Amino acid sequence: MTVDTEGRVQEILRTAGIAPDRLAGLRPLTGGTYNTVTEVRLTDGARYVLKVPPAASVPGMRHERLLLLGEAEFYRGAARAAVPAPRVVSLSDAAAERQYLLMTACPGDPWDDGALDAGEQGALRTGLGRAVARLHRITGPGFGYPSGALGPLAADWGTAFTAMFDAALADARDYRAWLPRPVDEIAAVLRAGRGALDEVTTACLVHFDLWRGNILVDRSAGPPRLGGLIDGERMFWGDPLADFVSLALLGDIREDEAFLAGYREGGGRAGFDGPASTRLALYRAYLYVIMLTETVPRAVGGEQVRWVRDAVAPELVKALAEIEDRAR
């Protein structure tokens, strides 16, 4: 993947109603594994971010088709919720040969625990909880991925999430991805826990990728504050509880007292009874299947493959065991 040419970016600026001669420079941004991301600087100092997906011929997972439509949907929802996040400037038509999303840039750098003291971390986690609670008040017209990558939105969460998980397992089969348990066994566990999904009756805005790398912290003035929630391309309409997986990636959100306090202060419901715990385990299993499977189409290096197997596979095994135990 390469940075777009100046001519191409000028065309995008023109479409967005920005004079192309205002383009001052381009800078590739790293950290992502799927899209090409470029910082676009204008002559007046304004900064935008341009995201371009790989060509349709590049291997990917089923849910990754037209990801930018979901990302734009997330940012529109964040704007309605008054949550700091990029704002959509221009989005290509879904039928366009070359897709793109042009958005505003947010201040700050990815969350780094090492740069924050305990008090700063606690205050930020509480503020993050309030912000996520506001996000979860935004509702959609149905359940699932708004891109339509897996079909139209469903009328109920059980149908939508089962289709999402089935698609990830189909990708695992197609790519012959290594998983710690056979695909058919994982599918059976999904069915065993499906009843818990029926408690979800409202399709809420879910980011589903809120690990620290996608949370910007702004230290430019005063105490550290939330600069923006970025990379909303994995969003879907579904159960708010699903966001708790990446917010405590490979950990347990129930141990994050500061976040949960802020989330409840913001009006979020964060109970962990039997059905809720089953759903949380289902969402962990879904994410971990994706993380293990995507190493194949991404063609990641051996060191990354080893890390995913060593760190993620045991957590997938634990989530599946929890679902099975609760289904007995």
Side-chain angles (χ1 to χ4, degrees):
M1 295 185 288
T2 58
V3 176
D4 274 81
T5 64
E6 286 195 6
R8 166 68 173 161
V9 174
Q10 286 176 327
E11 290 179 13
I12 292 172
L13 291 175
R14 183 181 293 108
T15 300
I18 301 171
D21 61 2
R22 292 178 59 196
L23 178 62
L26 305 174
R27 181 173 67 93
L29 299 176
T30 59
T33 60
Y34 188 71
N35 295 300
T36 298
V37 186
T38 306
E39 181 187 67
V40 178
R41 300 190 309 277
L42 302 187
T43 53
D44 62 359
R47 294 187 306 124
Y48 295 90
V49 174
L50 175 65
K51 187 171 283 192
V52 178
S57 59
V58 173
M61 296 183 68
R62 284 167 168 81
H63 71 276
E64 292 179 324
R65 303 186 189 109
L66 299 177
L67 273 182
L68 296 186
L69 296 183
E71 183 157 10
E73 191 77 22
F74 174 79
Y75 296 145
R76 295 187 188 106
R80 289 167 56 196
V83 167
R87 299 296 181 247
V88 177
V89 177
S90 183
L91 175 68
S92 59
D93 186 90
E97 182 177 351
R98 293 200 64 188
Q99 300 289 313
Y100 69 84
L101 170 61
L102 182 67
M103 66 197 97
T104 59
C106 289
D109 299 297
W111 187 305
D112 178 6
D113 282 348
L116 303 165
D117 63 35
E120 291 171 335
Q121 288 191 52
L124 280 169
R125 292 303 290 182
T126 300
L128 176 64
R130 296 190 193 100
V132 174
R134 294 200 302 274
L135 284 177
H136 291 166
R137 290 201 291 269
I138 304 301
T139 59
F143 294 92
Y145 288 108
S147 66
L150 303 182
L153 295 175
D156 66 276
W157 179 228
T159 297
F161 183 72
T162 300
M164 291 160 60
F165 210 143
D166 281 347
L169 292 174
D171 286 321
R173 288 191 186 94
D174 290 350
Y175 288 119
R176 299 182 180 180
W178 179 87
L179 297 175
R181 290 182 61 175
V183 168
D184 289 345
E185 285 187 13
I186 296 175
V189 175
L190 166 62
R191 266 56 184 185
R194 190 188 190 285
L197 301 171
D198 293 337
E199 291 201 348
V200 180
T201 58
T202 303
C204 299
L205 183 67
V206 177
H207 185 288
F208 203 58
D209 200 13
L210 285 174
W211 68 293
R212 281 170 166 75
N214 288 337
I215 302 170
L216 299 184
V217 176
D218 182 14
R219 302 173 63 93
S220 61
R225 64 183 180 88
L226 191 63
L229 305 183
I230 63 172
D231 285 352
E233 61 198 16
R234 308 289 173 181
M235 73 78 63
F236 53 76
W237 298 112
D239 182 357
L241 199 64
D243 259 338
F244 290 1
V245 177
S246 58
L247 281 160
L249 189 61
L250 303 179
D252 189 340
I253 193 66
R254 288 167 283 202
E255 298 175 359
D256 193 342
E257 296 179 0
F259 171 83
L260 291 175
Y263 188 75
R264 291 175 176 127
E265 287 172 12
R269 296 178 58 190
F272 299 101
D273 59 11
S277 293
T278 297
R279 298 202 312 274
L280 188 58
L282 283 166
Y283 307 146
R284 284 159 42 212
Y286 176 56
L287 178 59
Y288 300 152
V289 165
I290 290 174
M291 292 176 71
L292 286 158
T293 300
E294 68 184 6
T295 61
V296 182
R298 298 282 194 279
V300 302
E303 183 177 345
Q304 177 69 9
V305 170
R306 285 190 293 274
W307 177 85
V308 172
R309 291 190 181 186
D310 291 345
V312 177
E315 295 301 324
L316 173 57
V317 171
K318 285 167 55 178
L320 295 172
E322 183 176 342
I323 298 165
E324 290 175 313
D325 288 344
R326 293 183 178 280
R328 290 193 179 101

